[in-house]
């Protein structure tokens, strides 16, 4: 399942800034509370988190190490 | 659309002014609607007005000659920008872009002087607002000039990935951190974390993969964070 921004509806003040900043239309206000729709379009740009004045949106990142073949710095 | 006194009242600049005073000030205020992603101000251009965000969000930023962006602040309803240029007579110190559709109220420089002369009580509000901005920028200067934020962020990413034994592609509980949390841990502003992540990506140390920060060059991160510095 696609990871989506995490919404805390209790913190949402219904200002709609996140809806306006969203590039893919994944966020909507339903009765002045933020909801995610069509989340498969969400590119996780984190702009919604950036503009949210109440901290109602969180875009946490997993931090992982890529398994790669070690290449020496020089021959 | 007419300038609304009720909206003026919600702007900290006009705190404490009576409805009658705001009615009188209203004639100096103009309205400007800006489309999403439209530039509002360009750094270096002559400053004509101070602006107040009525609705929407505005990003104030500077751009280096290499095209790197540093966000100075994100402004939301009630907040002002370009005040410094209007008060000191210099050009716009930074650029401003509408992150969303934005409605602005503005007051031209000459009219700002008139209003301050006629309503000296407003000066205390202006001093308070400018002081808050100075405090914000002093903090940002500290972050940008004295601290090696990118290096500390490199250390944080390494620690998080290593401590939890996460490897891309492997299932399991993985720690997740917001950029705000990263900022809190390394002692900087969220705006600086965004830029530092970009810097690490450009260095080829990490790859931003949607909701994942993938460490692609662990050695480079170790060098930056001072881990294993004695090795070579």
């Amino acid at each position: 399942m696609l990871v989506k921004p995490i919404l805390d509806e209790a913190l949402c003040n219904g200002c709609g800034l996140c809806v306006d900043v969203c590039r893919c239309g994944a966020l909507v206000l339903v009765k002045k509370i933020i909801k995610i729709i069509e989340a498969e379009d969400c590119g996780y740009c984190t702009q919604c988190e950036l503009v949210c004045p109440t901290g109602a949106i969180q875009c946490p990142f997993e931090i992982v190490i890529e398994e790669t073949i070690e290449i020496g710095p020089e021959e | 659309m007419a300038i609304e006194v009720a909206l003026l009242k919600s702007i900290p600049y006009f705190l404490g002014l009576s409805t009658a005073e705001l009615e009188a000030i209203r004639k100096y205020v103009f309205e400007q609607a800006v489309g999403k992603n439209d530039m509002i101000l360009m750094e270096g251009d002559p400053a004509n007005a101070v602006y107040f965000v009525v609705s929407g969000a505005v990003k104030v930023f500077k751009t280096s000659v290499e095209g790197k962006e540093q966000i100075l602040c994100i402004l939301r309803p009630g907040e002002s920008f370009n005040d410094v240029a209007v008060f000191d007579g210099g050009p716009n110190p930074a650029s401003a872009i509408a992150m969303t559709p934005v409605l602005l109220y503005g007051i031209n420089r000459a009219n700002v002087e008139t209003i301050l002369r006629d309503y000296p009580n407003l000066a205390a509000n202006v001093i308070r607002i400018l002081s808050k901005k100075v405090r914000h920028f002093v903090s940002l200067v500290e972050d940008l000039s004295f601290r090696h934020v990118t290096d500390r962020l490199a250390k944080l990413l390494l620690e998080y990935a290593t401590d939890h034994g996460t490897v891309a592609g492997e299932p399991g509980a993985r720690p997740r951190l917001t950029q705000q949390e990263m900022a809190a841990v390394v002692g900087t502003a969220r705006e600086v974390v965004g830029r530092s992540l970009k810097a690490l990506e450009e260095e080829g140390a990490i790859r931003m993969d949607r909701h994942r920060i993938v460490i692609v060059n662990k050695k480079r991160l170790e060098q930056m964070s001072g881990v294993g510095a004695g090795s070579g």
Side-chain angles (χ1 to χ4, degrees), chain A residues 1-7 24-26 36-45 58-60 62, chain B residues 176 209-212:
Chain A
M1 206 178 74
L2 204 62
V3 172
K4 301 178 284 189
I6 298 166
L7 310 181
C24 59
I36 285 194
I37 55 162
E38 299 174 42
E40 63 269 22
D41 291 341
C42 169
Y44 221 75
C45 67
Q58 291 202 321
C59 299
E62 278 179 8
Chain B
R176 295 175 73 194
D209 182 12
R210 202 173 174 277
H211 68 284
R212 278 199 184 132

Side-chain angles (χ1 to χ4, degrees), chain B residues 37-41 57-61 95-100 102:
Chain B
N37 295 328
D38 284 352
M39 291 296 292
I40 302 165
L41 295 175
V58 172
K59 178 170 77 177
V60 179
F61 64 100
S95 301
I97 191 169
M99 297 178 76
T100 65
V102 167

Side-chain angles (χ1 to χ4, degrees), chain B residues 13-36:
Chain B
Y13 250 73
F14 305 112
L15 201 74
L17 292 189
S18 68
T19 303
E21 287 171 321
L22 289 172
E23 282 288 356
I25 286 173
R26 188 165 71 162
K27 65 174 179 286
Y28 298 113
V29 182
F30 64 87
E31 189 182 69
Q32 188 176 334
V34 188
K36 183 176 176 175

Side-chain angles (χ1 to χ4, degrees), chain A residues 2-6 16-23 39-47 49-53 58-68 70-73, chain B residues 36 55-57 71 74 76-77 99-101 156-158 160-162 166-168 170 174-182 190 207-208 210-216 218-219:
Chain A
L2 204 62
V3 172
K4 301 178 284 189
I6 298 166
L17 289 178
C18 54
V19 176
D20 290 338
V21 81
C22 181
R23 294 168 186 170
E40 63 269 22
D41 291 341
C42 169
Y44 221 75
C45 67
T46 78
Q47 292 289 300
E49 181 194 54
L50 185 63
V51 295
C52 179
Q58 291 202 321
C59 299
F61 287 87
E62 278 179 8
I63 301 162
V64 297
I65 300 172
E66 189 166 66
E67 277 187 301
T68 50
E70 290 280 324
I71 300 167
Chain B
K36 183 176 176 175
S55 65
I71 299 174
I74 305 289
R76 301 181 182 84
M99 297 178 76
T100 65
L156 171 76
L157 296 179
L158 266 180
Y160 253 76
T162 311
T166 50
V167 173
E170 275 189 6
R174 291 185 174 128
R176 295 175 73 194
L177 276 183
T178 64
Q179 291 189 34
Q180 185 63 55
E181 288 164 338
M182 293 178 212
R190 192 216 189 268
R207 186 180 73 240
M208 300 298 288
R210 202 173 174 277
H211 68 284
R212 278 199 184 132
I213 296 170
V214 182
I215 296 171
V216 292
K218 196 175 165 203
K219 278 195 174 156

